[in-house]
Amino acid sequence: MTQPRVVSRDEWEAARAELLVKEKELTRARDALSAQRRRLPMVRIDKEYVFRSPDGPVDLPGLFGGRRQLIVRHFMFHPDWDEGCVGCSLQVDNLGHPAHLHARDTRLVLVSRAPLTRIEPFRRRMGWTVAWFSSFGGDFNPDFGATRGDAECSGLSVFLRDGAEVFHTYSAFSRGGDALINTYNYLDLTALGRQEEELEYPQQWWRHHDRYDVGHSPELENH
């Protein structure tokens, strides 16, 4: 890949200052977009949904875990698949500690159409502790755009609870979730970036984290 040209420290400082102006513009634009997103109207959920968990069945209000807000990660996992989507797995690998969401009265969970008999072995293999529910046999996935026909779709949906009532406030799919992948955010800071220029979306360099070849760096083998 082409590397940046080599310049003096003064030239670098000038170029960095020019880029910083644009970075601040983007930050302000992102703040304004987030404010507009919060002003979206919402839809009351009157339909009843049932999800399966290792602890038994749960309804939609039960997914909140007593909190006021709920983020559902629509994790692509077809009932016939033996393992979950690679791209969705990348996003789950990038989740932070849930305490920070909980401090803002918000819970994040995974929901997939696959039955628990397929979800649980894969969850254990990946070493994840995030709550993961099965919507197998129900309408939740198609109702919220996570299954279209027999195809699974990557995305998320956000809900607000007011007492016993639940409202749908936001959904995003496909590249709408790119900002949640901190691997990308870190790579975007580097000179070589994501190194995807020759790849077609979805980017096929992704692997389940236990399937990467660590290459020729012995010091990385345990990390």
Side-chain angles (χ1 to χ4, degrees):
M1 296 183 65
T2 303
Q3 299 185 70
R5 62 190 179 92
V6 179
V7 298
S8 68
R9 174 59 60 178
D10 287 344
E11 289 178 280
W12 182 89
E13 292 284 0
R16 178 68 190 96
E18 182 179 348
L19 179 62
L20 182 59
V21 172
K22 295 181 179 180
E23 287 179 336
K24 289 184 175 182
E25 290 175 353
L26 179 59
T27 297
R28 288 190 289 269
R30 184 170 55 243
D31 289 345
L33 182 61
S34 295
Q36 184 176 352
R37 183 184 298 115
R38 291 192 295 271
R39 292 193 296 269
L40 279 173
M42 59 187 185
V43 179
R44 180 182 287 103
I45 306 300
D46 295 320
K47 191 171 184 176
E48 293 187 4
Y49 297 99
V50 177
F51 307 88
R52 268 72 184 182
S53 78
D55 297 323
V58 181
D59 59 8
L60 182 57
L63 294 190
F64 284 74
R67 295 182 170 84
R68 191 167 183 213
Q69 296 191 117
L70 172 70
I71 302 170
V72 172
R73 178 73 177 87
H74 298 297
F75 193 109
M76 294 171 59
F77 202 152
H78 189 281
D80 295 338
W81 297 354
D82 293 324
E83 56 185 13
C85 162
V86 175
C88 297
S89 297
L90 175 64
Q91 287 209 10
V92 176
D93 282 337
N94 279 266
L95 292 178
H97 197 288
H100 306 293
L101 286 175
H102 296 171
R104 300 331 286 149
D105 211 10
T106 302
R107 189 189 193 195
L108 185 149
V109 303
L110 312 181
V111 172
S112 297
R113 195 159 60 104
L116 286 179
T117 52
R118 292 188 182 273
I119 289 175
E120 280 300 295
F122 182 68
R123 183 187 61 79
R124 290 192 295 269
R125 170 188 151 193
M126 293 290 99
W128 296 330
T129 58
V130 60
W132 197 344
F133 298 87
S134 170
S135 62
F136 181 72
D139 296 332
F140 182 79
N141 270 43
D143 283 357
F144 289 93
T147 300
R148 301 172 189 180
D150 198 41
E152 303 300 294
C153 301
S154 173
L156 58 87
S157 292
V158 184
F159 301 88
L160 176 69
R161 185 175 62 85
D162 186 7
E165 293 189 305
V166 173
F167 302 88
H168 177 216
T169 63
Y170 181 72
S171 283
F173 292 90
S174 190
R175 295 203 62 186
D178 272 13
L180 306 176
I181 304 177
N182 274 336
T183 297
Y184 269 173
N185 295 331
Y186 280 112
L187 287 174
D188 286 344
L189 301 177
T190 68
L192 300 184
R194 302 182 186 184
Q195 304 167 57
E196 296 177 342
E197 288 75 8
E198 303 302 320
L199 302 177
E200 294 183 4
Y201 188 83
Q203 311 303 350
Q204 295 303 312
W205 66 270
W206 300 331
R207 300 288 186 274
H208 290 118
H209 62 236
D210 59 352
R211 287 200 171 136
Y212 281 109
D213 179 359
V214 296
H216 54 270
S217 300
E219 69 274 12
L220 297 180
E221 289 183 359
N222 295 321
H223 298 277

